[in-house]
Amino acid sequence: MSNNRKRSKTNSAAFSILKIIKVLLIILLIAIIIAGIIIGSMVLGVVKNAPEIDPTTIIPSLSQTSTIYANDGQLIEKIQTTEFRTVVPYDRIPKYLEDAFISIEDERFRQHNGVDIIGIGSSTIENIKHGRIVRGASTITQQLVGNMYLDRTEKTLDRKLIEAYLAMQMEQKLSKEQIMEAYLNRINLGQGAYGVQEASQTYFSKNVEELTLAEAALFAGIVKSPTNYQPIKRIEPSDYDPDTMDKVGEIDVLGKNMYLIYNQNSVDRQHIVLKQMLKLGFIDQSQYDEALNEDIRLAIKPGQKVLHSMTSYPMDFVKREATQALSEHFNVSYEEAGILLNTGGFKIYSTIDLKMQKKLENIYENFTELIAGSPDNFKEPFLINWSMSKTGNIIDSAGRIVYYKYGNLFDQNALVLPQSSYDVTNDGLLLKTQIFRAYEDTISLDPCYTINAEKNLVVHDVGPIVVPKDLYKVNEEGHILISNKFLKQKENFYSIDENGILRIPEQFVPIQKDGIVQPQSATVIMDYHKGEIVALVGGRDVSGNRILNRATASPRQPGSSIKPLSVYLTAVANGKGAGSIVDDVPITVGGQAWPRNVDKRYHGLVTYRDAMIYSHNASAVSIVKEIGIKNSLDMLEKLGIIDKENPEKDSIITSVENRETNDENYSALALGGMTRGITPLEMTAAYGAIANDGNYIKPKSFTKILDVNDNLIVENKTHMTKAASPAEAYVVKDMMTSVVNKGYYGKYAKIDNMITAGKTGTTQERADIWFIGFTPYYAIGTWIGNDSPKINISQGSDTAAKFWRMIGESIHEGLEPIEEFERPDGVVEVKVCKQSGKLPSSSCSTITELFPESSVPTERCDQHKYLQVCSISGKIASKWCPSSLVESRSYFVREPAYKAEDHGGVYPPDYSSQPPSSYCDVHTEDAYYDFFYGPNRGSSNSSDKDND
């Protein structure tokens, strides 16, 4: 009985425990369900905010590196950005490269659905064991999703949930091969290389399919930390320590030279990858041993993004032109097009000839020596006519300071001011010197200069000093007071030594250390038959990218080099020829004779050819006055110098743009004294039209742009304008040939065994000197001058012509000699009167000259007159002149009659050949009777006199 009672109690207790367990299980289940509902709701809430994705667009959406090719198809530059990428298809990727990434980043990649549950558990246990994050759990798919669609810097739970959700979505829409292809083309592998193909070129200068197992494992090891595990690192040359660093090469980074240093950490990490590949069975022991023993240091061969040694000028210009073309093609802003250029993987086929560009740059590297020889042979500064103040500052003709002497402003990397140039007041620091100018949030300073070892003037830009505009004041005298509030913020802004010298450290007054040499120069070489720029240099002794390109972006006054375009080509296209006559006499401006000729004389009636050969300024003005300013402007428009549709894009100022100050005047159009000027590129292209039978072709720096799939995006078609007929162009071309053969300075440009045509140009006070010319092969334009037109060149345009010849001889080396330009139909040789330019009469002195057939003179010269002249008085003979003293003389009658008062009071030398307009005043009636009857004849004889 008792046993039954005990058994009953036991059963009852067991039942109660079981009941409790059941209740607890139910409660736990309910809690789990509730928690699940809550977590599910949270997940659904998070997932609801997940971005919409289309995994099928991953590869097309990857940014890719655009490339530039030379005119022969040779790759010359990968456009430098923060990301370099070249996409390769999956079938080009070695399997062991894929295995290397899987082994170290996601060993169950081929089994999971985007999220690796086992991996998450393993990493969690390992992280707990170490008390810190030592291992991540993101799959390759999650990494791809995170890189593509999410903020990688965010470490929240929400982000991880979204990443997992998107990864599973991606796995449903893409195959494992597609995911791996996208991943390996996107990942960052250091040195700006994104994707395995770009990394292969960056580190080993080969394609991805050529990688060895050891190199593949090296790449897989980089992903964990590209900064720490990239096989090479960049450093400044000044930071290089040969005792502790292993230099493997150098690289150009946006025009700056950097050293590449070997990084052993990458190989240490590679060993871990290889060990994991062996463990997982991706490689066997022999492969592991072979890869482990491979010398990565020896295999490293850094690839260059810039595959040339030329200056940045041509490539910068190509990029600028390509960006503009993409902007127009895609109808986006220039800035947006620039982003497209950097990331779109475009292939730009330039017109640049690498060999020719190198020849041109070699000449510029020896600029000083080629022009003047050894620096020991000339005084400083080279090629510059300067005036100095007593303190050594460079001043202009009005005594204003152009450049300060470096030592007058700086000492030991600090700006120095004497006691007289500043005051320390209760309100702050008062700067009393005129070297400072305040504007907005800056206080700027004028440039300073030094003289380098080659005796070149070097200009250094200074400043500005950054001071918020509410922390300084400018008083009536122009002195600048920097407030105490600013000085408290910058405690070390200045110091004063025991001699009262105030010093402002260079950190506040930055100065351009290397400076810009002066004078500067620019040259453009064009294949005018196609309008293609084959070489250009935009400055001398300058390095870096996106710097001032004086060949394409710095208009300068062209001086007399404008004459073949706006004067002679315009005139010949309007009915004139080389034998047409112009009166080389001045006009009157302000009561004075203007303009002056280079030889300070006026020559009267001369042919167009002679006027061009000797660059007569008065002749040029007379021609433009005759043909009209409108015709001259129309010609410049045909030659691409004026853009009426987009006037903001050209350098010429018309009256439509500015009624008060413009270039619609004789000074600009006849003598090249433009308000702004014209660029060497514009001038060279315009001369190319004369060389190219009167056909102007808009210059281009590239021929086409292809997309990543080699589809044609932009075809840079030839834009041609007929500026003149072939016959008209040839006549001017032949006149320009005479400039080179006979001209004062043009003769220095003659290339041996090559017909050469061209024209010099010199602006007022020799601020600019030019020579622009052409051969049957190329048009070449060269400018020399200082960046500041206030500083003059010490030599004339003969120097530009000599330098042009050096360039021309180098460029034409090896080309077939051509002794004559080909004469087109429609050009005729005509004998004309040397003074009137009309068909000659029997009284004329004649010359044979070239005319377009349509412009041959039709009038016969009738301006030669025969008069009976007294040899004593030189005037028209009267009946009282003795017959023995009367001569028959021939005279040329000017039409219209010459009036010196209309020409500044100048009488040209041929004025003496004008026929006399009055009768002899030596042999008069009275003189006659005095001779026969004497001066005292009486009145009784008067009747006899009347009868006689």
Side-chain angles (χ1 to χ4, degrees):
M1 179 95 179
S2 61
N3 289 336
N4 288 336
R5 193 177 289 122
K6 288 179 181 177
R7 193 179 298 113
S8 177
K9 288 180 178 180
T10 300
N11 291 338
S12 176
F15 176 76
S16 297
I17 293 170
L18 185 60
K19 188 175 183 181
I20 292 169
I21 292 171
K22 286 181 178 180
V23 170
L24 290 174
L25 288 173
I26 291 170
I27 293 171
L28 180 61
L29 181 60
I30 292 170
I32 291 172
I33 291 172
I34 293 171
I37 292 171
I38 294 171
I39 293 171
S41 298
M42 290 172 60
V43 171
L44 287 174
V46 170
V47 169
K48 191 182 294 183
N49 295 322
E52 291 289 331
I53 67 169
D54 183 359
T56 61
T57 64
I58 291 178
I59 292 295
S61 69
L62 288 177
S63 64
Q64 294 197 51
T65 301
S66 294
T67 48
I68 303 176
Y69 298 83
N71 62 355
D72 61 357
Q74 179 182 346
L75 175 64
I76 54 178
E77 184 170 324
K78 297 180 179 181
I79 296 180
Q80 297 203 27
T81 62
T82 54
E83 293 187 13
F84 289 90
R85 179 183 287 109
T86 303
V87 172
V88 290
Y90 180 78
D91 58 17
R92 281 184 57 187
I93 298 171
K95 185 176 184 302
Y96 51 76
L97 176 61
E98 179 182 356
D99 292 341
F101 279 92
I102 290 175
S103 67
I104 199 67
E105 291 294 318
D106 185 3
E107 62 184 75
R108 280 170 288 278
F109 170 72
R110 294 194 174 94
Q111 289 79 45
H112 62 64
N113 66 345
V115 178
D116 185 4
I117 302 299
I118 298 174
I120 292 173
S122 299
S123 66
T124 300
I125 293 171
E126 195 167 341
N127 292 336
I128 291 173
K129 187 185 298 181
H130 288 83
R132 57 187 174 87
I133 301 296
V134 295
R135 177 181 168 187
S138 292
T139 64
I140 283 176
T141 313
Q142 286 176 279
Q143 291 180 44
L144 179 59
V145 164
N147 286 327
M148 287 290 301
Y149 306 113
L150 304 176
D151 181 0
R152 296 291 292 172
T153 62
E154 188 181 346
K155 302 297 182 182
T156 64
L157 176 61
D158 285 2
R159 184 199 174 283
K160 293 299 293 182
L161 289 172
I162 292 173
E163 182 183 88
Y165 168 73
L166 295 179
M168 288 187 288
Q169 270 199 325
M170 183 176 284
E171 291 269 357
Q172 292 175 0
K173 296 183 179 181
L174 298 180
S175 67
K176 291 291 185 180
E177 289 76 14
Q178 289 173 313
I179 292 171
M180 183 58 72
E181 179 185 34
Y183 175 77
L184 292 178
N185 277 297
R186 184 172 179 84
I187 51 174
N188 177 11
L189 293 172
Q191 291 295 308
Y194 285 73
V196 290
Q197 169 63 14
E198 198 63 47
S200 298
Q201 289 291 339
T202 297
Y203 296 118
F204 302 114
S205 296
K206 59 184 175 183
N207 291 322
V208 64
E209 57 265 39
E210 300 172 290
L211 290 175
T212 66
L213 171 61
E215 293 162 349
L218 186 83
F219 283 2
I222 296 173
V223 177
K224 183 177 181 180
S225 175
T227 302
N228 294 323
Y229 297 123
Q230 57 186 335
I232 53 179
K233 293 186 175 183
R234 299 177 195 166
I235 65 165
E236 297 274 358
S238 58
D239 295 332
Y240 175 60
D241 182 355
D243 295 328
T244 60
M245 298 177 181
D246 185 0
K247 179 183 168 186
V248 297
E250 300 179 17
I251 191 170
D252 180 281
V253 181
L254 296 176
K256 185 177 183 179
N257 188 57
M258 303 285 285
Y259 283 4
L260 297 174
I261 306 302
Y262 174 65
N263 180 21
Q264 178 61 35
N265 291 341
S266 64
V267 176
D268 295 340
R269 175 72 177 167
Q270 175 224 32
H271 291 173
I272 296 173
V273 175
L274 288 170
K275 188 174 182 180
Q276 185 71 359
M277 292 181 75
L278 178 64
K279 175 184 173 183
L280 296 175
F282 287 124
I283 57 176
D284 58 29
Q285 187 65 45
S286 63
Q287 290 174 308
Y288 171 78
D289 292 338
E290 183 180 351
L292 203 64
N293 291 325
E294 187 172 316
D295 190 340
I296 291 294
R297 167 63 183 84
L298 191 62
I300 287 178
K301 184 182 178 183
Q304 291 285 334
K305 311 302 182 187
V306 178
L307 307 173
H308 61 81
S309 58
M310 62 186 175
T311 63
S312 69
Y313 291 117
M315 291 301 98
D316 282 351
F317 186 65
V318 169
K319 293 170 200 172
R320 192 184 88 183
E321 296 291 288
T323 301
Q324 184 61 44
L326 291 174
S327 171
E328 294 170 3
H329 176 78
F330 291 108
N331 193 26
V332 297
S333 69
Y334 184 86
E335 290 71 22
E336 291 172 306
I339 296 172
L340 283 174
L341 182 69
N342 289 337
T343 62
F346 296 105
K347 298 180 180 69
I348 304 157
Y349 288 84
S350 79
T351 61
I352 300 300
D353 184 312
L354 286 179
K355 291 181 180 178
M356 197 171 295
Q357 180 70 28
K358 186 60 180 175
K359 285 184 176 182
L360 182 58
E361 294 193 2
N362 283 342
I363 291 172
Y364 266 90
E365 287 173 6
N366 299 287
F367 184 87
T368 303
E369 291 76 10
L370 287 173
I371 290 179
S374 169
D376 297 333
N377 297 336
F378 54 85
K379 296 180 180 179
E380 61 183 40
F382 162 68
L383 207 57
I384 288 178
N385 183 24
W386 67 350
S387 296
M388 293 175 56
S389 68
K390 293 180 180 179
T391 56
N393 299 321
I394 298 178
I395 56 177
D396 63 16
S397 57
R400 294 181 294 257
I401 294 175
V402 180
Y403 299 126
Y404 284 89
K405 185 177 181 180
Y406 179 88
N408 290 345
L409 290 184
F410 287 89
D411 177 32
Q412 297 178 358
N413 299 322
L415 177 69
V416 294
L417 299 177
Q419 218 164 0
S420 59
S421 296
Y422 72 90
D423 274 334
V424 178
T425 71
N426 292 332
D427 297 320
L429 177 63
L430 183 67
L431 302 174
K432 298 191 294 183
T433 174
Q434 297 302 311
I435 67 172
F436 297 104
R437 292 177 308 281
Y439 179 76
E440 294 294 328
D441 293 330
T442 61
I443 298 175
S444 60
L445 294 85
D446 287 322
C448 60
Y449 79 91
T450 57
I451 302 293
N452 67 13
E454 289 74 35
K455 295 184 180 178
N456 284 283
L457 177 73
V458 182
V459 176
H460 307 264
D461 284 333
V462 182
I465 303 172
V466 179
V467 182
K469 59 184 177 182
D470 58 337
L471 297 183
Y472 71 81
K473 294 180 180 178
V474 182
N475 64 22
E476 294 180 355
E477 296 174 291
H479 300 164
I480 302 170
L481 178 67
I482 300 176
S483 71
N484 280 324
K485 183 177 179 181
F486 174 82
L487 297 174
K488 288 178 181 178
Q489 295 173 2
K490 311 289 184 181
E491 293 182 357
N492 59 342
F493 180 73
Y494 73 90
S495 62
I496 300 175
D497 65 19
E498 64 276 7
N499 297 316
I501 302 297
L502 182 140
R503 301 173 62 84
I504 302 177
E506 188 182 358
Q507 67 186 90
F508 298 109
V509 193
I511 181 170
Q512 187 183 33
K513 290 287 188 183
D514 294 335
I516 306 295
V517 297
Q518 305 295 330
Q520 274 295 325
S521 179
T523 293
V524 176
I525 303 174
M526 284 186 62
D527 179 346
Y528 58 79
H529 306 283
K530 303 176 183 177
E532 295 182 354
I533 302 167
V534 292
L536 69 84
V537 166
R540 54 181 291 251
D541 291 354
V542 177
S543 61
N545 288 54
R546 294 178 288 278
I547 51 182
L548 176 62
N549 190 334
R550 297 164 186 82
T552 64
S554 184
R556 297 296 290 247
Q557 291 186 345
S560 293
S561 64
I562 197 66
K563 292 174 182 175
L565 310 176
S566 56
V567 180
Y568 295 102
L569 184 61
T570 306
V572 172
N574 282 275
K576 302 294 184 178
S580 295
I581 299 299
V582 57
D583 205 354
D584 185 57
V585 291
I587 60 176
T588 301
V589 177
Q592 300 294 319
W594 181 87
R596 294 177 64 186
N597 283 332
V598 66
D599 60 2
K600 301 179 182 179
R601 295 184 295 130
Y602 298 103
H603 304 270
L605 298 170
V606 296
T607 64
Y608 274 30
R609 184 183 296 275
D610 283 346
M612 184 189 279
I613 289 174
Y614 303 112
S615 199
H616 295 331
N617 291 331
S619 295
V621 170
S622 296
I623 292 172
V624 174
K625 187 177 179 183
E626 179 183 356
I627 62 178
I629 284 176
K630 182 182 182 303
N631 283 329
S632 188
L633 291 170
D634 288 345
M635 179 58 72
L636 293 183
E637 183 182 4
K638 293 175 183 176
L639 295 174
I641 291 173
I642 293 177
D643 186 345
K644 280 189 177 179
E645 293 183 3
N646 304 286
E648 72 283 354
K649 292 184 178 180
D650 68 35
S651 301
I652 302 298
I653 300 176
T654 64
S655 59
V656 175
E657 297 171 85
N658 190 323
R659 292 182 63 85
E660 301 297 325
T661 304
N662 56 64
D663 295 324
E664 296 187 16
N665 55 69
Y666 300 136
S667 176
L669 298 176
L671 308 180
M674 275 81 179
T675 306
R676 292 178 187 154
I678 308 176
T679 66
L681 174 59
E682 291 172 314
M683 291 295 291
T684 307
Y687 270 54
I690 299 175
N692 193 33
D693 296 331
N695 297 312
Y696 169 78
I697 299 179
K698 183 179 179 181
K700 56 185 176 182
S701 61
F702 71 93
T703 56
K704 61 184 177 180
I705 302 176
L706 308 182
D707 67 11
V708 291
N709 297 314
D710 289 338
N711 296 313
L712 182 65
I713 296 296
V714 175
E715 182 180 7
N716 201 0
K717 295 181 179 179
T718 298
H719 296 279
M720 188 170 70
T721 302
K722 188 176 182 62
S725 72
E728 293 161 352
Y730 180 83
V731 169
V732 178
K733 186 187 304 183
D734 194 67
M735 291 162 62
M736 295 171 69
T737 303
S738 296
V739 171
V740 174
N741 291 334
K742 301 178 181 179
Y744 291 137
Y745 298 141
K747 62 186 178 184
Y748 294 109
K750 180 73 175 93
I751 300 174
D752 290 340
N753 302 315
M754 188 68 65
I755 186 70
T756 310
K759 183 69 182 73
T760 55
T762 307
T763 58
Q764 191 171 14
E765 303 298 330
R766 291 199 296 257
D768 310 89
I769 56 175
W770 297 73
F771 190 85
I772 306 169
F774 52 83
T775 67
Y777 294 99
Y778 299 108
I780 307 171
T782 292
W783 164 85
I784 300 173
N786 292 287
D787 284 335
S788 172
K790 296 178 181 178
I791 306 296
N792 303 328
I793 301 297
S794 61
Q795 298 181 28
S797 55
D798 56 323
T799 297
K802 292 172 184 175
F803 187 61
W804 189 96
R805 187 192 71 244
M806 295 173 194
I807 294 171
E809 288 179 344
S810 176
I811 294 305
H812 289 81
E813 187 177 1
L815 296 178
E816 185 72 24
I818 300 177
E819 297 293 339
E820 296 291 338
F821 289 111
E822 185 176 348
R823 182 185 292 190
D825 294 336
V827 178
V828 294
E829 294 183 10
V830 182
K831 184 178 288 187
V832 295
C833 173
K834 192 174 182 179
Q835 289 175 290
S836 69
K838 299 176 183 179
L839 296 177
S841 65
S842 59
S843 303
C844 298
S845 297
T846 63
I847 56 169
T848 300
E849 264 297 3
L850 298 180
F851 285 83
E853 195 169 32
S854 59
S855 301
V856 172
T858 56
E859 293 183 46
R860 184 73 58 180
C861 179
D862 58 359
Q863 292 175 251
H864 291 274
K865 306 288 185 182
Y866 280 95
L867 291 177
Q868 300 299 307
V869 178
C870 175
S871 62
I872 301 299
S873 66
K875 296 182 179 182
I876 301 173
S878 70
K879 65 179 182 178
W880 310 110
C881 294
S883 60
S884 60
L885 299 177
V886 176
E887 297 177 348
S888 179
R889 295 183 182 177
S890 175
Y891 292 94
F892 180 79
V893 181
R894 280 174 170 262
E895 295 178 354
Y898 186 80
K899 296 179 181 179
E901 59 268 26
D902 294 336
H903 302 282
V906 169
Y907 287 92
D910 57 11
Y911 186 79
S912 61
S913 67
Q914 292 297 295
S917 58
S918 60
Y919 284 89
C920 177
D921 55 3
V922 173
H923 304 101
T924 63
E925 182 181 8
D926 289 339
Y928 176 83
Y929 281 103
D930 287 345
F931 177 77
F932 282 102
Y933 300 108
N936 299 318
R937 64 187 183 275
S939 59
S940 59
N941 296 325
S942 62
S943 61
D944 293 335
K945 174 182 173 183
D946 290 338
N947 291 334
D948 288 336

